[in-house]
Amino acid sequence: MACLGLSLSCQSTKVNTVGDEITVEYQDGILKTSSFLKDYRIVLLKAPNNDAIIKYIDRLLFAENRIFVVDQISNKILAFDGNGEFLASTARMVGKGHNEYIRIVDAAIDEKGHKLYVHCDAPYQIMVFDFNLKLEKIFPMEYYLNEMAMDGNYIYGLRHNSMDDSGYEIISIAKDSLASSPNIVLSTPISVRGRKAMGKSMVSNQGSIYASIPFDNKICKLKDGKVTESYIIDFGGQGLPNRPIEKDMSPETFDRLYSDTHWSMVNMSGSDSLLLFNTNRSPQFILDQKNKKCDAYGETFNDMLPFSNSYITPSQGLENGMAYEIEPEVLLKYSKHAEQNHESIDPALLNVIRQTTPDGNPLIILWHLK
């Protein structure tokens, strides 16, 4: 997986001391999606104009027959209905004037208040929209959040440590008191700028927030502004706690020495019993929360659809499920291959293929877990 610039910790973190210890078991076989997925729904996000074009999906948000897309590269939030019809985007609001923003950072759904909260950079602010992307309020902020998530009354954020801008911390703050100082829920110590795994370290799932601080081996469940449960993941010698990092190590040295190491857990998604996640490496991890077991698979085979993807798209609002995305060229390549080999195509999938163009938006696969 691709890597982006941020930081890594060279010391043990204080969040590594409490929680259920779970050892990863690496499986030799191929993970079949039918073993944990029940059914799926295909959604093609339509692109009738330039405002509707998605360059990259950073996060998907689902609420009340709406699908919201966070696209940092295009610097906008997009809204579609449940069938993928384009409704609106925030592209018109980019600027330095009143009720405008310079850069989108992240967004989260306030399911209780039926609102969309969007964190922006330059200036730091949270913009509150209704589900038609009509701006309702703006809250000035004094700090930057790398990521954000929400449950009933709280906003959670991942940011660099507020004391000395080294390491990371997770904060919580009541959504009705955004002007007050946030509560620091978790934190890491000294860090060295350099790397961050592709994906999101903080997601909302089944009404709770799951978070893992970059370069830490713990997944924490957050609810009502505090940690309610946590899992310490033992990668069996393939994680950072087993291979300490020297202070002030350069990113280049880290890449050379730790290319085979799991150093960041992202994209947690699933159900009350199963939690799937990715790391900076490619394997698919399945954590059984009831039996405290975690299996890792090097390859995923989709035996329910004619294409596979082990990368989970970060999302909020999917009940007992998860999201994957398929690029248009993959879909069209499959269609061409099936036609050449006189293979039948599922009617629902064929209908989507007929609406797909090479430069169109990704296909979204919404899965339900068993």
Side-chain angles (χ1 to χ4, degrees):
M1 290 188 180
C3 297
L4 304 175
L6 269 182
S7 66
L8 60 93
S9 171
C10 59
Q11 299 180 7
S12 297
T13 72
K14 71 179 185 182
V15 300
N16 274 340
T17 56
V18 179
D20 294 317
E21 296 187 8
I22 300 177
T23 299
V24 173
E25 296 184 10
Y26 295 91
Q27 306 297 328
D28 295 330
I30 298 175
L31 174 63
K32 292 185 178 181
T33 54
S34 62
S35 65
F36 64 97
L37 296 175
K38 180 170 58 176
D39 52 33
Y40 59 88
R41 185 165 69 91
I42 302 171
V43 180
L44 178 63
L45 302 176
K46 312 289 195 325
N49 54 52
N50 288 336
D51 280 356
I53 295 176
I54 301 168
K55 290 185 178 179
Y56 184 79
I57 298 177
D58 291 282
R59 194 189 293 275
L60 290 171
L61 306 165
F62 300 85
E64 298 181 11
N65 198 39
R66 291 287 188 271
I67 302 174
F68 299 99
V69 177
V70 180
D71 183 351
Q72 283 187 282
I73 294 180
S74 295
N75 199 23
K76 62 189 178 185
I77 306 294
L78 304 93
F80 300 84
D81 69 15
N83 296 318
E85 298 293 337
F86 175 69
L87 300 175
S89 87
T90 62
R92 68 191 184 283
M93 303 179 67
V94 177
K96 299 182 180 180
H98 180 63
N99 288 345
E100 294 181 334
Y101 64 85
I102 295 178
R103 284 187 294 272
I104 288 287
V105 179
D106 205 357
I109 293 289
D110 175 12
E111 296 180 7
K112 184 177 180 180
H114 309 281
K115 305 297 179 186
L116 177 70
Y117 281 59
V118 179
H119 178 55
C120 306
D121 179 23
Y124 302 155
Q125 60 185 16
I126 285 182
M127 308 178 79
V128 183
F129 296 85
D130 68 13
F131 285 167
N132 293 314
L133 288 186
K134 292 182 179 179
L135 180 65
E136 295 190 349
K137 297 178 183 178
I138 293 182
F139 295 97
M141 304 285 288
E142 295 184 354
Y143 49 87
Y144 174 89
L145 299 176
N146 301 77
E147 299 179 22
M148 68 180 295
M150 294 186 71
D151 60 19
N153 295 309
Y154 286 88
I155 292 176
Y156 303 87
L158 174 69
R159 68 180 187 180
H160 287 290
N161 280 344
S162 53
M163 298 301 294
D164 56 9
D165 197 33
S166 62
Y168 289 95
E169 61 189 17
I170 291 175
I171 60 99
S172 69
I173 186 168
K175 68 179 183 182
D176 297 328
S177 304
L178 294 180
S180 60
S181 298
N183 175 49
I184 298 175
V185 179
L186 302 169
S187 66
T188 60
I190 300 171
S191 64
V192 178
R193 300 284 176 153
R195 295 290 175 260
K196 184 178 182 296
M198 181 176 68
K200 293 295 184 182
S201 305
M202 180 178 293
V203 299
S204 177
N205 183 65
Q206 300 292 107
S208 296
I209 307 301
Y210 288 87
S212 181
I213 297 180
F215 301 93
D216 187 67
N217 67 328
K218 174 177 281 191
I219 295 175
C220 294
K221 187 176 182 179
L222 309 174
K223 185 73 173 178
D224 297 327
K226 58 182 182 293
V227 176
T228 60
E229 196 170 0
S230 57
Y231 307 111
I232 300 172
I233 308 299
D234 181 357
F235 289 101
Q238 298 186 37
L240 286 184
N242 304 98
R243 301 169 63 182
I245 299 173
E246 296 180 7
K247 183 177 180 180
D248 300 327
M249 178 180 287
S250 70
E252 293 77 17
T253 302
F254 176 79
D255 291 345
R256 178 168 50 84
L257 297 179
Y258 297 87
S259 60
D260 61 342
T261 302
H262 300 288
W263 44 261
S264 192
M265 293 180 286
V266 294
N267 306 340
M268 288 74 72
S269 194
S271 65
D272 288 335
S273 57
L274 293 181
L275 191 67
L276 283 80
F277 63 92
N278 300 129
T279 71
N280 50 287
R281 296 180 62 192
S282 58
Q284 178 84 74
F285 293 84
I286 301 182
L287 171 61
D288 186 328
Q289 299 183 76
K290 293 183 178 180
N291 296 318
K292 304 297 186 296
K293 294 178 56 180
C294 185
D295 293 319
Y297 295 84
E299 185 178 351
T300 302
F301 173 67
N302 193 331
D303 54 341
M304 303 168 69
L305 279 172
F307 27 71
S308 299
N309 189 351
S310 62
Y311 179 79
I312 304 167
T313 303
S315 64
Q316 175 187 351
L318 285 178
E319 187 73 19
N320 193 40
M322 58 179 40
Y324 292 100
E325 58 190 274
I326 303 295
E327 293 301 320
E329 56 266 28
V330 174
L331 194 63
L332 294 173
K333 184 178 180 180
Y334 158 71
S335 175
K336 183 177 180 180
H337 174 81
E339 182 180 354
Q340 291 174 345
N341 291 275
H342 306 288
E343 299 174 359
S344 61
I345 301 177
D346 179 86
L349 183 57
L350 181 60
N351 181 54
V352 173
I353 292 173
R354 288 170 175 166
Q355 303 177 62
T356 303
T357 59
D359 56 350
N361 286 334
L363 179 77
I364 305 300
I365 313 293
L366 306 180
W367 292 96
H368 292 93
L369 276 76
K370 290 183 176 179

